[in-house]
Each structure stands twice: as C-alpha cells, then as structure tokens.
Amino acid sequence: MNLNRLFYIVLMISLGLSSCRKYSYQALNTNPNQAQDVPLSLLLPAAELSTALVYGMESSWYTAVIMQQQGGVDRQMKSADHYSIQPQDVNNPWTHAYIHPLPDLKAIISKAEAQSAWGYSGVAKILTAMVLGQLTDLWGDIPYSQALQGSANIAPAYDTQEQIYTTIFRLLTEAKADLAKPSKLNPSKDDLIFSGNTNQWKKTANALLARYYNHLSKLDPQGSALKVLTAIDEGGYQSSQDDARLKFGEAATESNPWYQFMSQRNDMRMGKYLVDLMRNSNDPRLPQYATEDANLNYTGSPAGTPDLYASSIDSFFASPASYITLISYEELKFIEAEAALRAGNSQRAADACNTAVQASLRKYGVYDSSYVATYAMTNSTTVTLSQIITQKYIALLTQAESWTDYRRTGLPAIQPAIGNITGGIVPRRFPYPSDEL
C-alpha cells in the first residue's frame, strides 16, 4: 500500500474515531464526513505505520544522543547533548502514541474478536505490546488500564511499570494463542510488515517475549534468563530476513523520519564515542553508518562539546526509503547470548554473540574475515557481558534498546557528557511531557 495514502488514512481514522457527544438532536451532531466504521484492512496499516513512528522519531533521536551514538549540535538536540531534555521536548512521542497506534490497536482487537478475525487480533496485540514496551522503557509508569476511554476518563490512573510488563507478557501470550486459531479473516497486503505471514508474527511474539524478559535481568537474573531462552527455543527469528521492520518511500510525504529530521533540521552528527569505537577496531560497518567529514575522515561529535563539522549518519539509516526496525534477528541473538551467559551456558552465549555480529556485518554488505576473526570468534572461555553489550550497541544504531541495556548493565562504559546538568549522571528516563503535566 502506498505510504502517502497511509498518512492520509492515519489522519482520517484518528478523526473518524473521535466521536462527538450525543444529545437528543443526534442527527444534527453527526458529521457525514467522519467514518463511523473503519474496516480492519484500513485500521491495520495505519496502526503499523504509527507504531513504527513511536520507534523511529523522538524516542530514537534523544536516546541516540544520550547513548553517544549521535551528538546533538543545534537547537533541542544541542540541549539534549547536555542532558537538558525538557517536558515540552517529549510531547510529540507521548501524544502520538496515545492518539494514533494505541486507540487504533484497541479498535482492531475489539472488532477482530467480535468477528473471529483472530489473525488481526493477534497482530494487534503484538503491536500493542511493542508500543507499551517502548513507552514504559522511556518513562516508567504510564497510563494504560484506565486509558483510551476518551471523554469517559480524561485523567486515567498510571499503571506501574511492573503492571505494564505484566500486561505486555499477557498480550504476547494471548497473541500467540490467537494466531494459532482458525481465523475468518486474516491480514494480507494490508500488513505492511509481514504481508499477513502468520508464522512471522508468531516468531515476533517470541522475540518480544525474549526482549522483555531480558529487561528483567536485574530483578530476576536466573529466572529471566531461563524465560528468555524458552521463548527463543519456542520459535524465534532464524535470519535477518525475519526482522520486523517497516520500509518508507521515496516521496516527500512518505519518507523515513530520520531522513526528514536530518534534511529539514540537521541537528545531529555521529557521536564520538561510537565513531571512535568503530574506527579503533577497523569496523567495516563505519562507512555504512557515517558520511565522511570535510577532510574525508570519519569523526564524531564529543558528548557535550558539539562539533558541526563531524560526520553525519549515512543513508542506510537516513534515506527517504530507509527502514524503521522494531525488532531484529541480531538483537534476538545478542539477547540469547546475554541470557545464556547469565544462565551458565557460556558456549551457547559465545555462539549466539558470534552469529549476531556476523549477521550485522552481512546486513550492511561488509562481511570482513579479519574483523570476524577478532570480534566474532569468541568461545566459552572468552565471551563476556561487555563484549555482548558493546557489539549490540554498535549493531542497534538508531534503536532505543541501547539505552535500556545501559541502564541494566552500565555498558558500554560511556562517560557523562561534558557540561552536563545532571551532576554527572546519565539520564535514566524521559521527563513526563508538558501536555500530560
């Protein structure tokens, strides 16, 4: 489906689902231009697009700066480089999530269950878990169980992060059950991520279970590790072809949000920490990640000391038709490596880490035997958590997971930005948005 049409659909559906209050003169209060019943085949692509934007806009821009994968060099991003992220800076990702994907997904689940369209309800529950996971990892406690009721409850209570994680696990478990049922109606070309491939969505549910169980590593190290490995063994991704991602288009109204941000504002450069890490290890992905600076070198902007002349993020991530990745094969293999190491299976950890690094190299078309020999041939006696998380940090450029990993593990060992306003503490969560306050 054309993404230009999808942006129109997102707008029209959000308007159509905002019903007016009904008075006795109901006919006078009915807008003939508003959709009264939107079919599942239109709700789903709109919800998938808006879910991808939850992952690919401010949430990834700000976390990339915090994690020194990017350096903020102007306007809000320059302030973020010193950890000065203001409540008004994060209005958009919060408001977008509660106006677009979450209400649409709620509508899909309700309509699909009523129609025994279990393929749609399963996908919608997986996408809901994705959105809730991103929101709670950015903010902590968030409204959900009492939210999405419109004017019936304009001040819903906040669920604790523990409650949100319980909800995520429930949604993913229910999704797997739904996808296993005979369905009277299934997604097809209206599914912009997997074109209606039920097996791919089942794999994604398992991958997400692994991701969110792994997030509990500090709370329950051994228990979370066993749950991660169980989820993977039940059927996870087998290659990068399995990635859950959404491709954008070449037209101006269809283009990837990273491209739009860099072409319209250009407020970020590559982060010095990441560039130096890759340059010092002769990482063959660096030319795919960064442009050359004016001196034909790859350089990064130091955290807290903006450098407008440093390299910019390259077109693999920031072209009009670039993907937004929701969860990938490489991420899942790094999760497996970490969980296996925690569970005491160091050989499985080493194998998974090696596979993840090699898969990342292949994704960018730069498989290099020398790099593999040094960084992707670890064994049961040499594999370490630092190696796993550092390689994951490199592989997941533009994805907020690196911030979650840092808060769990303290890795990679970035140093607080120069001139930071937080007393030398790397931020742990976003401030609540000013609109919400």
Side-chain angles (χ1 to χ4, degrees):
M1 180 178 289
N2 186 286
L3 275 172
N4 192 28
R5 183 182 175 210
L6 280 182
F7 281 99
Y8 174 77
I9 289 171
V10 170
L11 175 62
M12 294 307 295
I13 289 175
S14 63
L15 291 174
L17 294 181
S18 300
S19 59
C20 299
R21 189 185 299 275
K22 295 180 180 179
Y23 297 98
S24 57
Y25 298 100
Q26 184 172 345
L28 296 177
N29 199 48
T30 300
N31 185 344
N33 296 320
Q34 286 187 327
Q36 299 301 305
D37 185 35
V38 182
L40 292 169
S41 60
L42 291 183
L43 281 170
L44 180 61
E48 289 183 335
L49 172 62
S50 53
T51 297
L53 295 179
V54 168
Y55 275 69
M57 295 180 69
E58 285 90 346
S59 60
S60 67
W61 302 337
Y62 282 113
T63 56
V65 169
I66 292 170
M67 288 305 300
Q68 301 175 25
Q69 295 170 316
Q70 296 288 297
V73 297
D74 204 2
R75 290 178 281 256
Q76 289 101 324
M77 290 301 160
K78 184 176 181 180
S79 297
D81 213 47
H82 298 88
Y83 308 149
S84 179
I85 301 174
Q86 301 302 313
Q88 63 268 23
D89 294 334
V90 292
N91 275 329
N92 190 51
W94 176 281
T95 303
H96 171 83
Y98 283 101
I99 287 179
H100 293 296
L102 287 176
D104 286 354
L105 292 166
K106 180 182 179 183
I108 292 171
I109 293 168
S110 177
K111 291 171 68 70
E113 289 180 344
Q115 298 174 29
S116 297
W118 302 112
Y120 277 97
S121 63
V123 170
K125 288 174 182 178
I126 291 169
L127 293 169
T128 302
M130 286 184 183
V131 176
L132 292 178
Q134 187 81 328
L135 291 177
T136 195
D137 289 340
L138 296 175
W139 277 284
D141 299 350
I142 58 171
Y144 182 66
S145 62
Q146 295 182 18
L148 311 177
Q149 299 181 41
S151 59
N153 187 354
I154 62 171
Y158 278 50
D159 294 351
T160 65
Q161 188 171 63
E162 181 179 3
Q163 290 170 325
I164 293 295
Y165 265 72
T166 298
T167 298
I168 289 169
F169 296 135
R170 174 182 59 78
L171 285 166
L172 293 172
T173 301
E174 289 179 1
K176 290 170 63 176
D178 286 355
L179 292 170
K181 297 176 184 177
S183 181
K184 292 184 177 180
L185 185 65
N186 283 302
S188 182
K189 295 301 182 183
D190 53 327
D191 173 8
L192 302 176
I193 298 173
F194 290 128
S195 298
N197 188 319
T198 299
N199 287 332
Q200 290 300 106
W201 282 110
K202 291 177 181 177
K203 292 179 184 178
T204 300
N206 286 325
L208 289 167
L209 283 167
R211 171 195 279 176
Y212 293 114
Y213 280 129
N214 200 50
H215 285 185
L216 305 182
S217 62
K218 291 182 71 174
L219 179 69
D220 181 12
Q222 291 301 307
S224 66
L226 294 176
K227 289 176 180 177
V228 167
L229 298 176
T230 297
I232 292 172
D233 291 342
E234 286 183 359
Y237 293 160
Q238 300 302 309
S239 76
S240 295
Q241 298 302 310
D242 291 330
D243 292 359
R245 59 185 190 173
L246 191 145
K247 184 176 176 62
F248 287 76
E250 295 289 349
T253 54
E254 302 173 1
S255 52
N256 173 283
W258 272 84
Y259 168 79
Q260 292 191 44
F261 183 83
M262 294 303 295
S263 61
Q264 295 169 17
R265 295 183 61 88
N266 200 26
D267 291 350
M268 289 187 289
R269 298 292 182 271
M270 292 296 295
K272 185 179 189 308
Y273 184 90
L274 175 61
V275 170
D276 287 356
L277 182 66
M278 298 181 76
R279 192 172 55 192
N280 293 340
S281 63
N282 294 317
D283 194 314
R285 290 167 289 188
L286 185 54
Q288 306 299 315
Y289 280 32
T291 64
E292 292 178 332
D293 64 16
N295 297 316
L296 303 183
N297 295 319
Y298 295 105
T299 53
S301 180
T305 311
D307 179 1
L308 283 163
Y309 302 100
S311 300
S312 294
I313 193 168
D314 209 351
S315 58
F316 185 92
F317 301 96
S319 71
S322 293
Y323 289 94
I324 290 296
T325 298
L326 302 172
I327 187 167
S328 67
Y329 173 65
E330 302 97 278
E331 179 188 340
L332 188 61
K333 296 306 288 186
F334 283 122
I335 290 169
E336 179 182 351
E338 182 188 340
L341 186 65
R342 207 161 60 243
N345 190 340
S346 56
Q347 188 58 56
R348 181 171 181 175
D351 291 343
C353 184
N354 293 337
T355 299
V357 175
Q358 294 180 47
S360 180
L361 296 176
R362 290 190 177 96
K363 175 173 283 186
Y364 300 105
V366 292
Y367 190 90
D368 181 276
S369 57
S370 296
Y371 188 86
V372 168
T374 304
Y375 296 100
M377 285 294 178
T378 189
N379 58 50
S380 60
T381 60
T382 60
V383 65
T384 65
L385 180 62
S386 178
Q387 176 191 20
I388 293 167
I389 299 298
T390 300
Q391 285 293 330
K392 186 180 179 185
Y393 168 82
I394 297 170
L396 300 191
L397 177 61
T398 75
Q399 298 176 49
E401 279 301 304
S402 293
W403 191 33
T404 302
D405 290 340
Y406 175 79
R407 288 174 290 162
R408 291 187 301 110
T409 67
L411 298 168
I414 60 173
Q415 296 301 306
I418 296 170
N420 68 80
I421 66 164
T422 57
I425 298 173
V426 176
R428 309 292 293 180
R429 67 169 179 85
F430 283 178
Y432 285 109
S434 57
D435 285 353
E436 179 71 2
L437 295 172

